[in-house]
Amino acid sequence: MIHSRALTVVGVPAALAANYWVLETVLAERADPAGSWISDLGARTESTGLLFDLLEVASGMLVVAFAALLVPALGRRSRVLCWGVVALAAVGACTVIDGAFPLSCAETLAEPCELRYDAVDLVHGGETFLSIAITIAMFALLVAGLRAEPDRELSRFGAWTGAAGVAWIACNALMGAQYLVADLAGSKGALQRAAQVVFGLWLLGLARAGAHARAPWSAD
């Protein structure tokens, strides 16, 4: 029961911290939730950039800690679930890197400005693509592992994980489409933030599923 409580204690803050961007209208120097990237909040040109970078790093560390707690709850139930939990930890690590290597310029907040494409920008950009790929793999692994579980509640959460994954991927696909369809450019920020809301809500459900898996009445 102590471990189940720990999943909630860490999982809930991880879910909330994943949406640290909600503070932008209160704390940020400039804000455009509909049309700007979340990463622009932490750009090196922003006076409040360091604050948002620290918030992002903290959110990533919470996800890594949450994944570590999920190892005995879910990761030991099957090899597929184990790799899914490892992928979740990798997503958290990517978030830490994203915050530790901020963009040189808040392109969508402080126009006109152009990225320097220095080493820090290149790490940030490479991490972004890697994080998307890992998150897609994470959803796929956890859906496969959870749906195969004999425990009915875990299997049901596997279906919800699939729905969350589809929603998250759809938001990211539409964000990518803005490079081809100019009309979508003004909504890329809203789409990115919607994807984070989906991820945060899913983390809350995962905390509950992990706690259920550790409950005395659940199968080991």
Side-chain angles (χ1 to χ4, degrees):
M1 289 303 292
I2 294 176
H3 190 279
S4 299
R5 211 172 287 126
L7 280 168
T8 302
V9 169
V10 177
V12 171
L16 295 175
N19 287 281
Y20 67 90
W21 59 266
V22 298
L23 300 172
E24 64 185 311
T25 55
V26 178
L27 301 177
E29 176 185 0
R30 284 179 284 262
D32 179 11
S36 70
W37 300 117
I38 295 174
S39 290
D40 282 344
L41 295 171
R44 285 171 269 165
T45 53
E46 299 300 289
S47 63
T48 53
L50 179 60
L51 171 61
F52 284 96
D53 290 333
L54 291 174
L55 287 171
E56 184 171 17
V57 168
S59 72
M61 292 176 68
L62 282 168
V63 170
V64 172
F66 180 48
L69 288 172
L70 282 171
V71 171
L74 290 178
R76 293 177 182 169
R77 298 179 74 93
S78 72
R79 183 173 296 179
V80 175
L81 284 175
C82 180
W83 281 110
V85 172
V86 169
L88 176 62
V91 170
C94 283
T95 302
V96 172
I97 294 171
D98 196 81
F101 291 83
L103 293 171
S104 58
C105 172
E107 285 188 297
T108 55
L109 287 175
E111 298 180 358
C113 77
E114 294 183 3
L115 293 175
R116 299 175 197 165
Y117 291 106
D118 55 16
V120 177
D121 282 339
L122 293 176
V123 170
H124 185 99
E127 172 278 324
T128 298
F129 289 106
L130 181 62
S131 179
I132 291 173
I134 293 174
T135 305
I136 292 172
M138 176 202 72
F139 277 121
L141 287 165
L142 290 176
V143 168
L146 289 167
R147 292 296 287 166
E149 280 293 313
D151 185 293
R152 198 171 289 180
E153 184 164 339
L154 291 179
S155 180
R156 192 179 302 121
F157 182 69
W160 281 107
T161 296
V166 168
W168 189 91
I169 292 170
C171 287
N172 279 270
L174 288 171
M175 278 188 278
Q178 61 98 17
Y179 291 106
L180 301 174
V181 182
D183 290 343
L184 290 174
S187 60
K188 60 180 178 290
L191 289 166
Q192 188 181 28
R193 286 157 177 77
Q196 285 302 106
V197 170
V198 169
F199 185 72
L201 291 174
W202 173 75
L203 283 177
L204 289 176
L206 185 59
R208 183 177 183 276
H212 171 80
R214 290 290 296 179
W217 57 83
S218 64
D220 290 321

